[in-house]
């Protein structure tokens, strides 16, 4: 039997793929969506959502513990059972995607369960089925945990984020290999539930991609929760004796009941059949242009592009891919440019992306200058755009402004740790990056993200009125410091 001809095939229905496939199907295209595990991908089942449920619960414990000395006394008895139940029942339907599949089919898509693989130009093979895509193929295959080649590790029953999220009963002790965002978030959660947690990080500080001041506050907060942190320590060997793990690192042996490996994520390109369309598979990520093209008739979306492993990046890119595929369909039908493909794009993109950086023939181009990211530790670490170091490395004439949250009225009332750090391009008089650490650091970030995204002149930011006494009012303090 020859290949079945359809309009578009989307391989991988995670955050990005599901959005693209659903919206193209709603636009009337004949779309096949291929997913080998769960429709929705990492975020709803093992990532953002369950981890944030865990954090919500752990933060409730921490807040209750703050009653002493502020409002009387409170006794807190942590219990993991309601957290596990909520993840199972509310977040993941016990890791069942029936509802998500129905949602996709309800939007007009055709669902195929299995592993998709390119099979020559325009073709995707899923087991015995072969689809020929008339208009294009979209790869949204995401990432999987990257496990470092540490001697002995592969033979042990270590955890990745998946096991950590699925856990029903907490271990007494946990080693966390990797002090990035995911490692710190999970370390703090488990510590707040009474697990003895040790974090081992190879780089010289945790949260190493963010500002050093952010690393310091995050490390201090975790230590206050009882987490042991060892940075600048390289894992050499791991052993498991059936009962406990021993991690040999930097001349010390660390022991714990469980070992969680969160040392980053990587795309597995070698299983996608890229060689059949002339694309190299020996790369870290799928290189894309600013309209997410990989090659003729092939787009990519989400983590697999290496442009930022965040759900909001996958959604943002999905908007561009949808617009570009529809533009391609319209052009191949020989239709004139209507009111602008962007009008069909709806929610995920929003009008702001159609800036002078963003638009070509109605299709916006990806622009990551104001990429926001939040590490949901307590305090939260929010950051957007460039760090001071990145800005200096790019030869920008850097000015830095800093304000400690503790010296702001709200921060002092709240007894909050945190700060606002601004990184400005002095030649252009606008922010190129900012970090906001505090109890609501991720929320305060929104104002800074607008400032970086729209390159709001510093003079205008200084003349804004900042509500008193909010955490975000510390931005005005940092602006004064910048001058
Ligand atoms: C613990 C944790 C916490 C996180 N927290 C946040 C957060 O707070 N905020 C945030 O923005 N991001 C967070 N992330 C990141 C977020 O989950 C990812 O950025 C997002 O899931 C990426 O979406 P995606 O569509 O690119 O890929 P994925 O969600 O990984 O989906 C890819 C899908 O493709 C499927 N697939 C792969 N290969 C094939 C194939 N050959 N055929 C068929 N199907 C295939 C996979 O089964 C998977 O379902 C977190 C991640 C983790 C692990």
């Amino acid at each position: 039997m020859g290949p079945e001809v359809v309009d578009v095939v989307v391989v991988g229905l995670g955050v990005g793929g599901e959005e693209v496939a659903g919206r193209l199907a709603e636009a009337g295209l004949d779309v096949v969506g291929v997913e080998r595990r769960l429709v929705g991908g990492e975020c709803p089942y093992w990532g953002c959502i369950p981890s944030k449920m865990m954090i919500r619960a752990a933060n409730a414990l921490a807040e209750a513990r703050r009653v002493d000395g502020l409002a009387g006394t409170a006794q807190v008895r942590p219990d993991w059972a309601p957290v596990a139940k909520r993840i199972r029942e509310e977040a993941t339907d016990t890791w069942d995607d029936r509802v998500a599949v129905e949602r996709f089919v309800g939007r007009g898509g055709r669902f195929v369960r299995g592993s998709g693989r390119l099979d020559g130009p325009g073709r995707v093979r899923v087991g015995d089925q072969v689809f020929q895509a008339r208009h294009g193929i979209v790869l949204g295959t995401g990432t999987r945990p990257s496990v470092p080649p540490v001697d002995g590790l592969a033979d042990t029953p270590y955890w990745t984020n998946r096991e950590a999220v699925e856990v029903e009963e907490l271990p007494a002790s946990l080693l966390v290999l990797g002090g990035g965002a995911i490692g710190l978030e999970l370390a703090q959660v488990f510590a707040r539930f009474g697990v003895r947690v040790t974090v081992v990080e190879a780089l010289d500080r945790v949260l190493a991609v963010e500002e050093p001041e952010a690393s310091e506050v995050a490390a201090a907060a975790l230590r206050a929760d009882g987490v042991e942190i060892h940075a600048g320590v390289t894992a050499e060997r791991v052993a498991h004796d059936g009962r406990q793990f021993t991690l040999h690192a930097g001349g010390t042996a660390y022991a714990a009941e469980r070992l969680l490996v969160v040392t980053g994520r990587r795309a597995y390109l070698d299983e996608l059949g890229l060689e059949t369309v002339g694309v190299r598979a020996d790369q870290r990520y799928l290189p894309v242009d600013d309209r997410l093209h990989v090659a003729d008739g092939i787009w990519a979306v989400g983590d697999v592009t290496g442009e930022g492993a965040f759900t909001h990046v996958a959604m943002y890119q999905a908007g561009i891919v949808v617009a570009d595929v529809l533009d391609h369909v319209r052009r191949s039908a020989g239709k004139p440019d209507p009111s602008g493909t962007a009008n069909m794009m709806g929610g995920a993109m929003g009008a702001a992306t159609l800036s002078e950086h963003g638009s070509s023939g109605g299709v916006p181009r990806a622009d990551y200058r104001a990429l926001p990211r939040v590490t949901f530790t307590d305090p939260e670490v929010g950051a957007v755009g460039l760090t001071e170091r990145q800005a200096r490395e790019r030869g920008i004439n850097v000015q830095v402004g800093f304000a400690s949250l503790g010296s702001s009225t709200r921060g002092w009332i709240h007894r909050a740790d945190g700060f606002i750090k601004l990184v400005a391009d002095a030649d252009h008089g606008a922010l190129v990056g900012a970090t906001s650490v505090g109890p609501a650091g991720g929320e305060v970030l929104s104002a800074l993200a607008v400032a970086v995204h729209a390159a709001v002149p510093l003079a205008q930011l200084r003349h804004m009125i900042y509500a008193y006494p909010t955490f975000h009012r510390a931005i005005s303090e940092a602006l004064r410091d910048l001058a």
Side-chain angles (χ1 to χ4, degrees):
M1 206 171 68
E4 187 181 339
V5 180
V6 298
D7 287 332
V8 175
V9 181
V10 180
V11 181
L13 296 183
V15 175
E18 187 190 356
E19 178 72 4
V20 169
R23 283 177 50 196
L24 289 178
E26 278 172 347
L29 296 186
D30 180 10
V31 179
V32 168
V34 186
E35 169 57 51
R36 66 173 167 209
R37 286 195 85 159
L38 298 178
V39 173
E42 204 71 14
C43 180
Y45 296 102
W46 297 284
C48 334
I49 293 176
S51 68
K52 265 79 253 176
M53 279 184 173
M54 292 158 75
I55 288 166
R56 169 79 179 112
N59 287 359
L61 291 176
E63 196 61 5
R65 287 172 183 138
R66 289 175 187 129
V67 166
D68 283 25
L70 264 184
T73 54
Q75 276 201 333
V76 184
R77 243 181 328 106
D79 179 6
W80 189 252
V83 186
K85 182 171 189 284
R86 194 167 178 221
I87 290 174
R88 218 183 321 108
E89 294 180 2
E90 291 180 37
T92 69
D93 276 348
T94 317
W95 292 274
D96 182 320
D97 67 350
R98 196 171 41 84
V99 172
V101 172
E102 283 169 8
R103 185 174 60 212
F104 175 57
V105 173
R107 295 171 88 179
R110 181 167 146 204
F111 179 62
V112 175
R113 180 92 64 194
S115 280
R117 194 183 162 82
L118 295 165
D119 192 31
R123 275 197 311 277
V124 172
R125 173 179 289 278
V126 190
D128 295 338
Q129 283 175 290
V130 180
F131 298 97
Q132 178 77 43
R134 224 181 261 121
H135 295 300
I137 294 168
V138 181
L139 301 173
T141 48
T143 51
R144 297 208 296 271
S146 143
V147 178
V150 177
D151 196 19
L153 177 61
D155 303 324
T156 67
Y158 64 84
W159 281 359
T160 65
N161 63 297
R162 294 206 165 178
E163 291 77 17
V165 159
E166 290 178 13
V167 68
E168 291 279 339
E169 275 182 40
L170 296 183
S173 54
L174 176 73
L175 279 167
V176 179
L177 188 57
I182 296 174
L184 292 197
E185 288 180 1
L186 296 177
Q188 190 174 43
V189 164
F190 289 125
R192 288 182 164 183
F193 273 88
V195 178
R196 243 179 318 108
V197 181
T198 306
V199 175
V200 174
E201 165 60 52
L203 298 173
D204 62 358
R205 60 187 170 96
V206 294
L207 228 49
V209 294
E210 300 301 354
E211 297 283 9
E213 297 91 335
S215 305
E216 273 174 36
V217 175
L222 264 74
R223 286 192 171 115
D225 280 318
V227 177
E228 252 188 59
I229 297 181
H230 302 276
V233 173
T234 306
E236 289 137 14
R237 191 157 46 86
V238 173
H240 185 251
D241 66 4
R243 209 173 43 84
Q244 74 167 17
F245 288 85
T246 308
L247 168 69
H248 298 268
T252 306
Y254 302 94
E257 192 180 327
R258 291 285 173 193
L259 170 67
L260 170 63
V261 178
V262 274
T263 46
R265 319 261 316 164
R266 62 168 276 231
Y268 289 79
L269 301 182
D270 47 351
E271 48 192 54
L272 294 179
L274 290 166
E275 65 288 350
T276 69
V277 293
V279 175
R280 279 175 44 210
D282 60 342
Q283 312 182 72
R284 212 171 134 70
Y285 295 105
L286 268 181
V288 286
D289 68 11
D290 55 9
R291 271 182 280 175
L292 288 315
H293 280 157
V294 178
D296 198 27
I298 303 180
W299 287 260
V301 66
D303 282 11
V304 73
T305 66
E307 299 287 0
F310 300 103
T311 284
H312 44 271
V313 170
M315 296 293 283
Y316 171 78
Q317 294 176 329
I320 297 171
V321 173
V322 168
D324 205 37
V325 170
L326 291 177
D327 187 53
H328 173 86
V329 171
R330 183 178 48 73
R331 281 174 204 276
S332 56
K335 293 201 183 131
D337 201 349
S339 54
T341 318
N343 291 343
M344 297 186 232
M345 291 175 32
M349 290 288 304
T353 46
L354 298 175
S355 65
E356 78 247 37
H357 310 280
S359 163
S360 155
V363 178
R365 290 170 185 264
D367 171 8
Y368 305 101
R369 285 171 314 130
L371 175 60
R373 50 219 184 254
V374 179
T375 301
F376 292 87
T377 44
D378 173 20
E380 292 176 357
V381 176
V384 60
L386 304 177
T387 60
E388 179 183 352
R389 183 174 163 183
Q390 287 169 333
R392 290 195 193 286
E393 281 170 359
R394 289 183 193 200
I396 291 171
N397 181 9
V398 170
Q399 257 187 330
V400 172
F402 190 90
S404 150
L405 222 53
S407 63
S408 77
T409 307
R410 181 69 186 280
W412 171 75
I413 292 169
H414 205 92
R415 295 181 176 163
D417 286 328
F419 62 85
I420 300 286
K421 179 171 177 178
L422 307 177
V423 180
D425 177 337
D427 296 340
H428 292 94
L431 298 180
V432 290
T435 298
S436 143
V437 179
E443 306 305 323
V444 169
L445 184 69
S446 64
L448 298 166
V450 172
V452 174
H453 178 77
V456 180
L458 290 172
Q460 271 193 27
L461 290 178
R462 287 200 180 97
H463 286 289
M464 237 178 86
I465 303 173
Y466 297 82
Y468 179 87
T470 55
F471 290 121
H472 77 250
R473 199 174 148 81
I475 295 173
S476 62
E477 197 67 35
L479 282 164
R480 246 197 308 278
D481 186 52
L482 197 64

